[in-house]
Amino acid sequence: MEKHYPNSFYETNLHHKLIESEITELVVCGMMTHIYIDTTVRAAKDYGYQITLISDGCATKDLEWNGVTLPATLIQNVYMASLNKKFANVILSSEIV
C-alpha cells in the first residue's frame, strides 16, 4: 500500500483491507505523532476501530510557534493526553499483554 497523506486511510485501500480481514482492533505506533499518528488515530476512530496507541512507540520533533520552540517531549505528551480515552487507549509498550 502506498500513501501520500498523513491519514493512513485517506486515498488508500487500508480500510477495505481491514474489513476484508475482519480486523476491528488496531495497535498504532510510528513517527511524527503531531501529524501522522494524530490524523490516523482520529480517522480510525471515525471508522469505528478500537485503537490501542503505544505512547513510547511514537515520536515527534520540536515545533516552533510564534517564535517559541516547543520541545518534542511537550508535543508528545500533549498529543498522547488529547488522544487518550476519547480516541484511543494510550499505553506504554510494557503494558502490552
Side-chain angles (χ1 to χ4, degrees):
M1 177 184 81
E2 191 173 314
K3 79 179 199 76
H4 300 282
Y5 300 97
N7 173 351
S8 295
F9 292 92
Y10 185 71
E11 292 189 7
T12 71
N13 64 350
L14 177 59
H15 182 56
H16 178 72
K17 292 289 186 184
L18 294 171
I19 290 171
E20 276 182 352
S21 299
E22 298 180 359
I23 295 171
T24 59
E25 298 179 25
L26 305 177
V27 176
V28 177
C29 59
M31 297 298 294
M32 303 303 277
T33 300
H34 67 284
I35 299 174
Y36 303 110
I37 300 300
D38 181 58
T39 58
T40 297
V41 165
R42 290 171 188 266
K45 185 66 172 180
D46 288 344
Y47 281 119
Y49 293 101
Q50 295 298 313
I51 305 141
T52 299
L53 178 56
I54 310 301
S55 63
D56 57 334
C58 298
T60 193
K61 65 177 189 170
D62 293 350
L63 297 177
E64 185 273 327
W65 177 249
N66 273 345
V68 175
T69 298
L70 305 168
T73 54
L74 173 66
I75 302 300
Q76 181 73 7
N77 288 333
V78 166
Y79 275 87
M80 291 300 122
S82 67
L83 293 170
N84 191 35
K85 303 296 181 222
K86 299 226 185 292
F87 297 95
N89 181 31
V90 179
I91 64 171
L92 295 167
S93 60
S94 61
E95 299 175 78
I96 297 172
V97 289

